Amino acid sequence: MKRLTLAVLVAGVCAVGAAAADRPHRRLEPVPFTQVKIQDRFWTPRIETNRTVTVRHDFAKCEETGRISNFSKAAGTMEGKFEGIYFNDSDVYKVVEGAAYSLAAHPDPELDGYLDRLIAKFAAAQEASGYLNTYYILKEPDKKWTHLAKMHELYCAGHMFEAAVAHWRATGKKEFLNVATRFADLIGRLFSPQGKHDVPGHEEIELALVKLYDATGERRYLDLSTFFLDMRGNEAEREKRYGPYCQDHEPVVKQTTPVGHAVRAMYLYCGMADVAAYTRDKATIDALDRLWTSAVTRKMHVTGGVGARHGGEAFGDDYELPNASAYCETCAACGLIFWNHRMNLLHGHAKYADVLERSLYNGFLSGVSLDGKKFFYVNPLASSGNHHRSEWFGCSCCPTNVVRVIPSVPGYVYATDADAVYVNLYAGGTATIDHPKGKVTLTQQTRYPWDGTVTIRVEPEKPTALTLALRVPAWARGQTRTAGLYRLAASASLPPVGVTVNGKAVGEHEMKDGYACLSGTWKKGDTVELHLPMPACRVYAHEKVKDDAGHVAFQRGPVVYAFEGCDNEGLEHVYVSADAPIVAAHRPDLLGGVTVLTTTGKVRRDDGPDTDVTLTAVPYYAWDHREPGPMRVWLPEQRDAARPMPKPTVASESKVTASHCYASDTVKALNDQVLPKNSADHGLPRLTWWPRRGSTEWAQYEFKKPARVSAVEVYWFDDTGRGQCRVPKAWRVLYRDGGAWKPVAGASDAGTKKNAFNRVTFQPLTTDGLRLEVELQPTFSGGILEWRVE
Ligand SMILES: [Zn+2]
């Protein structure tokens, strides 16, 4: 009963505000996620985990970190100063948005009540003018609107608007929407052609204002969004521009390639697409088309990650797509999904849904752990074993983006136009679609993304003439459609895409804009079956991507694969056999149920013949759930490109233990023969005793067999300027003698130099183990990158 009420309410409130008829320039209309119920083995567990774990986890973190009490303090109902970073309000709004989506799909009185109390805090914190930003209210009340380049005031406002619209759509309650419109009206009074000329350093408000327009039908919000877009890079305000980092280097309609901060760029393009849907500004649409082509043919990782550089969290140059140092922020993948959804609606072409799918199943989904409690901020395509998800970040934009994207997934599945229903994603479940030609229910059954067979039951209320447009992904046609940035090569020739209607093969279906179009009069019980060939494929990057030259990646269906150290001994020294078959096998017991790929390769050795290995890959999104170790998406296909396996040494064959090792570090770092560039090198595995500080710790080698030794060399980890590890205060070498640890005799000085090995010689002795006893500096922790023994 409750669910029914909610559904009626949602349908009712959606009728208010701007309608599809106001957007004549957008080819497709989305089918809102409230009308699509996913019921499958892949997305249902994730949506449920998001609802029951991630929403609560994120709210708990917002409580713990003062993000929520900032509102009470701003309202004057609590004593205290502003806590955290100046844009922390946005995190709270984003979790509210995610929670509202969850609530719309799944009634939850407890969550509903929590949101009401939270929204009351927002309302209480709002100033009489309509202003609401807890940083400025609490910390710099006289500096409002003075540092838009850096200070994210309008960015926070945008996230408030998105959350408020989501909450209103989910519950029909207007309290939060009223807070949002009061604030938007204040912003509208300040910023206008006649008023203040400025733009947000971090885009977001542009797309959010269009959502506010959609919800309220108040044209001034669309106009304000257009104003902010027109002001960006404005020729007349040349001296005030904030530069390419904020996409404020030239007018948006003149921009040709994504530059600067990747998340900002994605949000900007979303706002442009939203406004263009209403206004059909040809210059804006042309700019979007140029930016899209540039992004997906020259600046996108195979995982659908964007923003290659750590510096400025930014887009790199064309074909600058590194692996270990790839940034690929989770938020940028969210942004790429948002943008491609809008481009698909704007143009009605399936190629945008292809990009959305690539990001969704790979570079976005890697951003959250299977248990919904840990997150990647950065999503590299290679790791030495020291990159791990965290429960939260000082800047926690990514966890709070994940929480709103996961429940939105059902909203990306379908779209409509006057004649057709478009199926953009394949996922089991039922959708009730209010098509202009009549209500129709579609039920998908599929094991996607592990299997390319999709059965769709079509149930119109009455027999209806309608086109069912099924996206045929580029990978199912043997090539990606990203104009050559990535080329797929199937191990066997690709069988054709098959379509049947009521069991009868449809020979010649019309292909239009990437969709297989099935036209006819549909009646209850009609069944369509789509067979997308899903062989495991080798993927090759464009020759100009120098980091992938001579390398190969693996993809099956929409899923890109990764090789992890825990499945592949000697991973950092392997090369793949170019012609070896790739075998796919489903493993329901592994990582929540995944299809793994196996193939063969060799470990390159310079001390003897190369050895054969079986290589196992798991989906990229699922990496870093087991024992820490190296990871690679791209593997060399040529021997020359593989790094030779070093010769075994006394150290490398030892068993390593330590008094303590931080959870995301590994004792194996000590003898892995991977050499650091300097003591602050974060690019390779390490041992640290974090969070222990000022204590005496140890690390030890137990030799494979007794050995005669006379020296050790230790490379200390020290991340001064970034973290709390320093070279130790002092250390000494012990050896094992009849089970007891004794100091070595005649030891030379034990150095604590940075950026070099510290060598200690001692009287030669025969032993079965050595230990380093390390006294940490007071108040600091410490660690080791490599320890050699002679
Ligand atoms: Zn982020």
Side-chain angles (χ1 to χ4, degrees), residues 94 155 261 263 267 313 327 329-332 334 376-378 393 395-401:
K94 283 157 72 187
Y155 166 85
H261 190 274
V263 182
Y267 289 5
E313 307 184 308
Y327 198 66
E329 182 178 341
T330 301
C331 284
C334 297
F376 278 140
Y377 195 115
V378 176
F393 306 91
C395 166
S396 251
C397 52
C398 296
T400 56
N401 240 338

Side-chain angles (χ1 to χ4, degrees), residues 123 166 179 190 240 340 512 522 786:
V179 170
L190 286 169
K240 275 170 64 182
N340 276 280
K512 188 162 170 274
W522 300 92
E786 192 72 17

Side-chain angles (χ1 to χ4, degrees), residues 297-298 319 321 482-487 539-550 634:
T297 64
R298 298 190 288 278
Y319 306 108
L321 297 163
T482 52
L485 184 52
Y486 300 106
R487 179 172 62 82
V539 184
Y540 298 96
H542 191 285
E543 60 188 20
K544 287 185 179 164
V545 183
K546 70 175 182 4
D547 292 88
D548 299 338
W634 294 93

Side-chain angles (χ1 to χ4, degrees), residues 567-641:
D567 295 317
N568 301 284
E569 189 80 29
L571 176 62
E572 286 165 299
H573 313 287
V574 300
Y575 57 103
V576 188
S577 314
D579 47 3
I582 314 163
V583 179
H586 197 66
R587 290 273 309 274
D589 55 313
L590 185 69
L591 297 164
V594 293
T595 294
V596 299
L597 303 183
T598 49
T599 187
T600 57
K602 286 180 188 296
V603 173
R604 178 175 167 184
R605 292 179 188 276
D606 284 0
D607 60 337
D610 295 350
T611 44
D612 294 330
V613 282
T614 298
L615 295 164
T616 301
V618 297
Y620 172 76
Y621 74 76
W623 86 275
D624 190 42
H625 282 91
R626 295 171 293 165
E627 200 184 325
M631 180 278 290
R632 295 279 183 280
V633 171
W634 294 93
L635 290 181
E637 216 174 38
Q638 286 137 21
R639 186 177 191 274
D640 289 354

Side-chain angles (χ1 to χ4, degrees), residues 9 12 33 56 89 93 120 124 128 209 215 265 307 327 331 386 490 531 558 604 664 688 702 730 765 782:
L9 198 58
F33 72 92
R56 283 157 206 264
D89 288 2
Y93 297 140
L209 282 165
Y327 198 66
C331 284
N386 57 343
H531 297 276
R604 178 175 167 184
S664 61
T688 72
E702 289 169 81
L765 57 93

